[in-house]
Amino acid sequence: NSAGKTTFENNGGGSIYLQKVNIFKCINCSFYLNTAKHFGGAIYALDINSFITNETRFHHNKAKYFGGSIYLQKSLKLLNLKNSFLYNNCSLGYGGSIYCELCDQVLEHNTIFFENFARSGGALYIYDDKHVAISRCLFVNNRAIVYGGAAFLGKITEVALGASVSQTNSAMRSGGNIYLLNTNIITIIAIKCTSCTSRHGGCITSD
């Protein structure tokens, strides 16, 4: 299953619903002004093997609970997000742009997250996953009410952060930029974090 050079605009109840799909690819697409009453403002995906996006924009999407743009859960072997732009997405719960739970591997490369908002995980909320790698990404002006202005990463076996830049992200309680919870292995290489704020840990907080 795939979508290419396609625009999904102003859809209520999200734009795409996926369940028990092997591989989904989204190349050079645009998701704009989509909404969901519960999960995944643009895309809801449950029990799929691989979710791949490249050169895709997600902007001004909204979900009431989890995943302003993308909601992924259960048995996902690979989330690969690259060369994409996610901005002005919001969730009143977790994951202003992306919510991912029970995923084996999350890879995010050369992607921009700008002015996303959620209660926790302003841009990203990733929970109960095995491996998360974020490289050459830019996080700017993302906000969370509680934890992780840019990202909330919880119960992850291994997290690798490399060659990424974070600016003016904020959370009211902890992890102005990134909040890590119950993470076993953390590797940080060549990270630049400026003017990120919270009550506890402006750049990175690990509990």
Side-chain angles (χ1 to χ4, degrees), residues 19-79:
Q19 187 170 10
K20 295 184 178 179
V21 173
N22 186 26
I23 299 173
F24 176 76
K25 295 182 179 180
C26 189
I27 312 299
N28 193 19
C29 294
S30 177
F31 294 84
Y32 173 59
L33 277 178
N34 301 289
T35 61
K37 291 184 178 179
H38 300 292
F39 311 121
I43 299 175
Y44 178 104
L46 178 67
D47 199 11
I48 68 174
N49 282 330
S50 297
F51 185 99
I52 300 167
T53 70
N54 190 10
E55 297 181 351
T56 293
R57 290 173 177 254
F58 296 88
H59 55 112
H60 297 86
N61 301 295
K62 182 178 180 179
K64 185 174 181 180
Y65 296 124
F66 301 158
S69 280
I70 302 171
Y71 176 89
L72 303 163
Q73 189 184 42
K74 192 179 179 183
S75 301
L76 182 74
K77 302 301 180 186
L78 172 66
L79 165 61

Side-chain angles (χ1 to χ4, degrees), residues 126-130 152-157 180-183:
I126 301 173
Y127 187 79
D128 202 4
D129 297 351
K130 292 182 180 178
F152 179 107
L153 308 176
K155 201 178 176 182
I156 312 294
T157 303
L180 300 165
L181 178 67
N182 295 333
T183 299

Side-chain angles (χ1 to χ4, degrees), residues 81 86 94-100 108 113 116 120-126 132 134 139 147-153:
L81 183 71
L86 297 93
Y94 302 150
S97 276
I98 298 174
Y99 178 97
C100 186
E108 296 178 358
F113 299 88
N116 302 288
S120 285
L124 305 173
Y125 189 99
I126 301 173
V132 175
I134 299 172
F139 297 87
Y147 300 111
F152 179 107
L153 308 176

Side-chain angles (χ1 to χ4, degrees), residues 115-181:
E115 291 191 347
N116 302 288
F117 172 81
R119 178 173 175 81
S120 285
L124 305 173
Y125 189 99
I126 301 173
Y127 187 79
D128 202 4
D129 297 351
K130 292 182 180 178
H131 178 76
V132 175
I134 299 172
S135 63
R136 298 190 181 278
C137 291
L138 176 64
F139 297 87
V140 179
N141 288 351
N142 301 286
R143 297 181 298 118
I145 296 174
V146 187
Y147 300 111
F152 179 107
L153 308 176
K155 201 178 176 182
I156 312 294
T157 303
E158 183 175 3
V159 172
L161 307 172
S164 294
V165 175
S166 297
Q167 298 174 354
T168 58
N169 302 298
S170 63
M172 291 183 67
R173 187 172 297 177
S174 291
N177 183 42
I178 296 175
Y179 181 80
L180 300 165
L181 178 67

